[in-house]
Amino acid sequence: MEYFTLYDQDRIPLGKQILRGEKIPEGEYHIAIHVCVFNSENKMLIQQRQPFKEGWSNMWDVSAGGSAIAGENSREAAQRELEEEIGLKIPFEKMRPILTVHFDHGFDDIYTVSSDVDVNDLKLQHEEVKAVKWASEEEILDMIADGTFIPYHEHLISLLFFMRNHRGTFKHDEE
């Protein structure tokens, strides 16, 4: 059984937890994370969900994702999910999300990581991940269009590819 810590709209812990799968009360939120691993060829490591996995079965997704469990912060959740789902160990202690997207019942922290990992060296979590591969932005957008990738907003995918080499919201002279 997994529990989530609940937060208010300002991301202040409410001192409450909820069991995964229970309806989150109005005005209360939990933390979700996504990790996008990019290689030096500007491709994202994507994973295919197992056909028996509930929600988005058999579809392709970003490198890793999930929710922070009670007692975890966003970084700890990102590090844990990446290691659990695809066996990739990367320290997140000094990382911050490149983007936080608010959804109805939570905050989705998105991290980008650079690694030229060989997909054959990854240990996939059988319960969740069927396969992994490297894909370009165009390939992912084509997969969204043909219904084989989770239907993220296309602009979000493009933003993630852009943000892998940029920080902040302003252009800098060196860009």
Side-chain angles (χ1 to χ4, degrees):
M1 274 191 265
E2 287 183 337
Y3 286 87
F4 300 150
T5 298
L6 293 175
Y7 300 83
D8 70 9
Q9 68 184 11
D10 296 317
R11 207 165 169 160
I12 297 170
L14 295 170
K16 297 167 60 177
Q17 296 178 357
I18 192 166
L19 182 64
R20 178 187 197 100
E22 287 184 2
K23 183 175 166 58
I24 296 175
E26 192 65 34
E28 297 180 6
Y29 308 91
H30 80 286
I31 294 174
I33 61 88
H34 283 90
V35 181
C36 301
V37 178
F38 290 93
N39 67 14
S40 57
E41 296 177 0
N42 199 32
K43 291 187 174 184
M44 184 191 297
L45 183 64
I46 61 174
Q47 64 159 275
Q48 186 178 25
R49 296 168 66 86
Q50 286 285 13
F52 52 80
K53 175 91 171 119
E54 191 175 322
W56 311 112
S57 299
N58 221 37
M59 295 186 79
W60 288 88
D61 196 358
V62 299
S63 310
S67 293
I69 57 176
E72 274 186 329
N73 63 36
S74 167
R75 286 186 317 278
E76 293 165 336
Q79 182 173 327
R80 176 185 51 78
E81 288 287 356
L82 189 63
E83 186 173 346
E84 278 181 5
E85 291 184 8
I86 62 172
L88 185 55
K89 294 181 183 183
I90 294 179
F92 277 71
E93 290 83 22
K94 296 184 180 179
M95 287 192 202
R96 293 186 303 155
I98 57 115
L99 185 65
T100 298
V101 177
H102 296 230
F103 60 99
D104 288 345
H105 295 288
F107 308 95
D108 188 351
D109 289 341
I110 303 172
Y111 294 84
T112 58
V113 174
S114 295
S115 178
D116 281 320
V117 64
D118 183 338
V119 296
N120 297 311
D121 294 337
L122 298 175
K123 186 175 187 304
L124 309 184
Q125 183 182 28
H126 175 72
E127 298 79 17
E128 296 203 25
V129 183
K130 179 179 177 181
V132 292
K133 68 178 181 177
W134 291 104
S136 68
E137 178 181 353
E138 295 76 23
E139 289 169 319
I140 293 172
L141 294 175
D142 287 345
M143 292 170 77
I144 291 171
D146 73 18
T148 58
F149 202 95
I150 291 177
Y152 292 102
H153 296 290
E154 292 90 347
H155 292 297
L156 175 63
I157 297 299
S158 296
L159 180 62
L160 294 173
F161 272 85
F162 175 78
M163 293 299 288
R164 79 173 285 262
N165 291 318
H166 299 86
R167 294 293 183 257
T169 56
F170 297 104
K171 281 182 149 183
H172 298 282
D173 291 337
E174 64 272 5
E175 289 182 19

